[in-house]
Amino acid sequence: MVLDVLFSLKRMFTMDAPLERSWSDQLADEFQKPYFRQLTHFVKGEYREHVCYPDTRHIFAAFDRCPFHAVRVVILGQDPYHGPGQANGLCFSVNEGVPHPPSLTNIFKELQKDLDKPYPKSGNLESWADQGVLLLNATLTVRAHQAGSHQGKGWETFTDSAIARLSQEREGIIFLLWGGHAKKKMKLIDSAKHHVLTSGHPSPLSANRGYWFGNRHFSICNEILRQNGNKSIRW
């Protein structure tokens, strides 16, 4: 069964593993902990009995497209999109040809104003990930049409460990924390070693109250990168 191959703990450390090798090395201890074994059992059952997102091939896409030592910027989301064809394993990102969800629309509106560039046609953010932007959801899977359905099952422990490892082992990463849920992750980040930018969430509820638009995070992020001798992100 494909799911057994994808979630077998033994295969986590092979070339066929769904998790990119550098991340497998960094998070090796997590795979042996009881919570991860319970999470594996839960997710296998959910995908077997229900429609879930993203496709199993893309559950670890955020890690696959942005190896540990390539991370320059981190954007934190909460859940994958739970509608058909939307989620591709990167937070806020959707597959080619999929209408932009409201939060992504507001991200692009801020990007458009901040950097004076055309509104993007595609909502696929893989090009960001390929430049070192880790687009990480706190929970990596979800049941169709049921937002938050896989929260509290162990994913948050796993992704918190990934954030903590970045904070411990790397320096100079820019963390973009949008909204209250993302801001809670500040406790995992050593602000003496890294840059942390915060704002409201890009969802309409927050953005329309004035907590999102005008944060200029895209230009500020690029200025920090330039000041430290790094290439800007082509947002």
Side-chain angles (χ1 to χ4, degrees), residues 132-153:
V133 181
L134 180 66
L135 296 161
L136 184 64
N137 278 314
T139 303
L140 299 187
T141 58
V142 68
R143 192 186 295 184
H145 309 300
Q146 296 187 34
S149 53
H150 289 186
Q151 292 179 8
K153 304 299 183 180

Side-chain angles (χ1 to χ4, degrees), residues 29-48:
D29 291 346
E30 300 301 308
F31 306 139
Q32 307 305 323
K33 294 179 179 179
Y35 88 86
F36 194 84
R37 296 178 184 274
Q38 294 167 6
L39 172 63
T40 298
H41 178 76
F42 168 76
V43 173
K44 285 169 64 175
E46 284 288 291
Y47 273 79
R48 183 170 56 247

Side-chain angles (χ1 to χ4, degrees), residues 91-160:
C91 73
F92 297 108
S93 175
V94 293
N95 289 307
E96 297 288 344
V98 174
H100 301 170
S103 290
L104 182 58
T105 295
N106 286 336
I107 289 172
F108 283 165
K109 285 181 178 178
E110 175 61 23
L111 176 65
Q112 183 182 27
K113 184 176 182 180
D114 185 19
L115 297 180
D116 191 26
K117 62 179 296 181
Y119 184 95
K121 293 181 180 179
S122 173
N124 191 326
L125 304 182
E126 290 177 347
S127 65
W128 294 9
D130 292 342
Q131 297 175 75
V133 181
L134 180 66
L135 296 161
L136 184 64
N137 278 314
T139 303
L140 299 187
T141 58
V142 68
R143 192 186 295 184
H145 309 300
Q146 296 187 34
S149 53
H150 289 186
Q151 292 179 8
K153 304 299 183 180
W155 277 131
E156 296 91 339
T157 302
F158 180 73
T159 54
D160 279 1

Side-chain angles (χ1 to χ4, degrees), residues 126-202:
E126 290 177 347
S127 65
W128 294 9
D130 292 342
Q131 297 175 75
V133 181
L134 180 66
L135 296 161
L136 184 64
N137 278 314
T139 303
L140 299 187
T141 58
V142 68
R143 192 186 295 184
H145 309 300
Q146 296 187 34
S149 53
H150 289 186
Q151 292 179 8
K153 304 299 183 180
W155 277 131
E156 296 91 339
T157 302
F158 180 73
T159 54
D160 279 1
S161 296
I163 297 167
R165 290 295 293 180
L166 284 171
S167 178
Q168 294 163 9
E169 300 297 326
R170 298 284 312 281
E171 293 186 9
I173 294 174
I174 305 169
F175 290 85
L176 306 184
L177 307 183
W178 299 339
H181 188 272
K183 290 175 185 177
K184 291 179 181 178
K185 306 300 182 181
M186 289 182 68
K187 65 180 182 291
L188 304 170
I189 304 165
D190 185 347
S191 59
K193 295 171 57 181
H194 303 282
H195 308 275
V196 180
L197 304 180
T198 65
S199 82
H201 196 273

